[in-house]
DNA sequence: TAGATTGTTAATCGATTAACAATC
DNA sequence: TAGATTGTTAATCGATTAACAATC
């Protein structure tokens, strides 16, 4: 695109707006102001307007934003106006749970938009086992599967000590986006995006705030 | 404390430093420089020094930081120099998995420091069932259990539509820290800290970056 | 028209980086 | 001592907020 680079802080808020808008849509709201949207998203109204203004003029002065129109625009901006195929590596207890959770939610919420379609593990005992209607494949064939199934995002739920070597193989397979649950920093090529989702970091952060209160 | 308020951005990095330091300690490293610590944490060395300087002078010029000493200091700063008791509400597939994952990790890593000790659900069918060696209690008795077991943090893995009312009850029970996996913004009293951990927000953010690449 | 709310600019606030004297 | 690395200050960079003209 020809735009100036959009700050990541902005990109992180867009899915929150999307979530609020979809709620509003379910409640049959047709219009929403930056004030109301911001309140439900936990963001100042001026910031909501500024965030949206990076991408165009979506509102009407004195009126607000059309809920369904803005949902469509945001989906297109976020690259969610299509099926995004996701794979998961490491079907231990956490991987298993996330797999089931993700599929249940995708079934229930059509707005979920990311679809978990493949599971991988390197334990031969697990190969061929099913989680709901998904088969567990050997991790070794991930490169072929990425191509065959058009996987674009990989969720990593492997032990910390294997995370880096798995990440290497994942990057080699052409994946550009990884959601990493392992408690370790991954070194990946600069064109691969990693989102970290280590539960313990958040718990430890919360512990700090128990102090002052 | 008498300090100026520490920015949350700083607090979020401390657990990352802690993780790196514990790795280094396991590798029998005695000393670490802000350079090396920063590299493994993904943070600029100057920022590492500035973050630590909020709390005191822990290093020696020309030498660096003593790994084990800094671990102790950081634990004390983060309020992790003791057992932090955690409860979990909503033993669905995600809650069940997080429970098992958390306990397995706490057993394996003594440095984990937060301990999951109670599970709650409002489905009578689940009451009395065990997840590993933890019993599932009725959500209704959470207030008593918070007192009895000294719970300080609650992990919420309930459906979005129940999240707010659960949060109200949790806050009422005296809890000041919540890790929320439900895809909804919780309104809580200002002395209650909420950390959001909605997987779909991260997946959607990753989808955006698939575009430009 | 009058009231409401957008898009945008300028001001503020906060966080990160660069640089270096202090000192181990 | 010489080299290394801290703690800290000043400079830079970036993000948020306040304010308001434009306009529906």
């Amino acid at each position: 695109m020809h735009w100036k680079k959009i700050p990541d802080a902005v990109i992180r808020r867009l899915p929150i707006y999307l979530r609020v808008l979809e709620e509003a849509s379910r409640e049959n709201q047709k219009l929403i102001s930056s004030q109301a949207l911001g309140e439900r998203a936990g963001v100042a109204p001026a910031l909501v307007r500024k965030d949206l203004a990076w991408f165009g003029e979506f509102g009407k002065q004195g009126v607000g934003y059309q809920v369904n129109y803005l949902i469509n625009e945001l989906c297109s901006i976020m690259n969610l106006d299509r099926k995004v195929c996701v794979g998961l590596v490491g079907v231990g207890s956490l991987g298993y749970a996330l797999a089931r959770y993700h599929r249940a939610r995708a079934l229930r919420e059509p707005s979920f938009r990311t679809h978990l379609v493949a599971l991988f593990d390197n334990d031969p005992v697990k190969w061929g086992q099913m989680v709901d209607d998904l088969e567990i494949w050997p991790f070794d064939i991930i490169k072929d599967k990425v191509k065959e199934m058009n996987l674009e995002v990989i969720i990593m739920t492997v032990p910390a000590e294997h995370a880096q070597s798995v990440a290497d193989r994942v990057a080699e397979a052409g994946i550009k986006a990884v959601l990493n649950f392992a408690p370790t920093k991954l070194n990946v090529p600069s064109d691969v995006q990693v989102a970290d989702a280590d539960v313990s970091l958040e718990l430890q952060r919360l512990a700090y705030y128990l102090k002052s209160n």
Side-chain angles (χ1 to χ4, degrees), chain A:
Chain A
M1 294 288 160
H2 59 281
W3 304 317
K4 192 148 51 113
K5 195 194 168 299
I6 315 287
D8 185 59
V10 174
I11 301 305
R12 286 175 181 276
R13 283 189 294 265
L14 299 186
I16 304 179
Y17 300 153
L18 203 43
R19 196 171 74 186
V20 169
L21 289 164
E22 247 138 18
E23 257 174 54
S25 177
R26 255 177 272 127
E27 295 162 8
N28 268 311
Q29 238 180 292
K30 299 298 178 215
L31 287 165
I32 195 165
S33 65
S34 60
Q35 167 84 66
L37 173 45
E39 207 156 282
R40 293 176 65 164
V43 173
L47 189 50
V48 171
R49 297 199 297 278
K50 198 156 199 288
D51 285 347
L52 297 176
W54 284 91
F55 304 96
E57 308 194 356
F58 304 116
K60 266 207 179 74
Q61 281 99 329
V63 178
Y65 301 89
Q66 290 208 342
V67 172
N68 287 317
Y69 172 70
L70 191 51
I71 288 176
N72 282 334
E73 290 297 323
L74 280 181
C75 278
S76 140
I77 290 164
M78 292 296 297
N79 203 17
L80 289 164
D81 50 353
R82 68 209 170 80
K83 192 177 168 190
V84 178
C85 293
V86 179
L88 182 149
V89 181
V91 193
S93 67
L94 185 62
Y96 177 83
L98 284 172
R100 298 209 57 190
Y101 173 77
H102 191 287
R103 284 184 70 80
R105 232 183 117 184
L107 272 177
R108 213 170 329 106
E109 302 172 37
S111 56
F112 202 61
R113 290 196 187 83
T114 57
H115 296 263
L116 184 61
V117 294
L119 306 176
F120 302 92
D121 203 291
N122 69 354
D123 179 357
V125 170
K126 292 183 181 155
W127 298 346
Q129 285 183 19
M130 306 294 283
V131 176
D132 294 335
D133 56 340
L134 286 185
E135 189 174 347
I136 300 175
W137 303 101
F139 177 62
D140 275 340
I141 66 167
I142 190 163
K143 195 166 188 170
D144 296 333
K145 282 285 167 189
V146 163
K147 249 141 234 155
E148 181 192 327
M149 308 187 81
N150 253 301
L151 303 181
E152 295 188 275
V153 182
I154 290 291
I155 299 175
M156 282 182 42
T157 43
V158 301
E161 58 270 32
H162 299 136
Q164 185 57 56
S165 71
V166 167
D168 294 341
R169 301 281 311 275
V170 164
E172 203 186 294
I175 289 292
K176 301 294 178 211
V178 173
L179 180 53
N180 174 39
F181 282 84
T184 194
K185 213 216 141 222
L186 301 178
N187 288 105
V188 292
S190 62
D191 64 339
V192 177
Q193 279 284 325
V194 176
D196 279 303
D198 180 0
V199 177
S200 64
L201 292 184
E202 290 295 330
L203 282 175
Q204 293 179 354
R205 173 175 156 258
L206 285 172
Y208 173 82
Y209 290 104
L210 294 174
K211 242 179 169 172
S212 15
N213 295 343

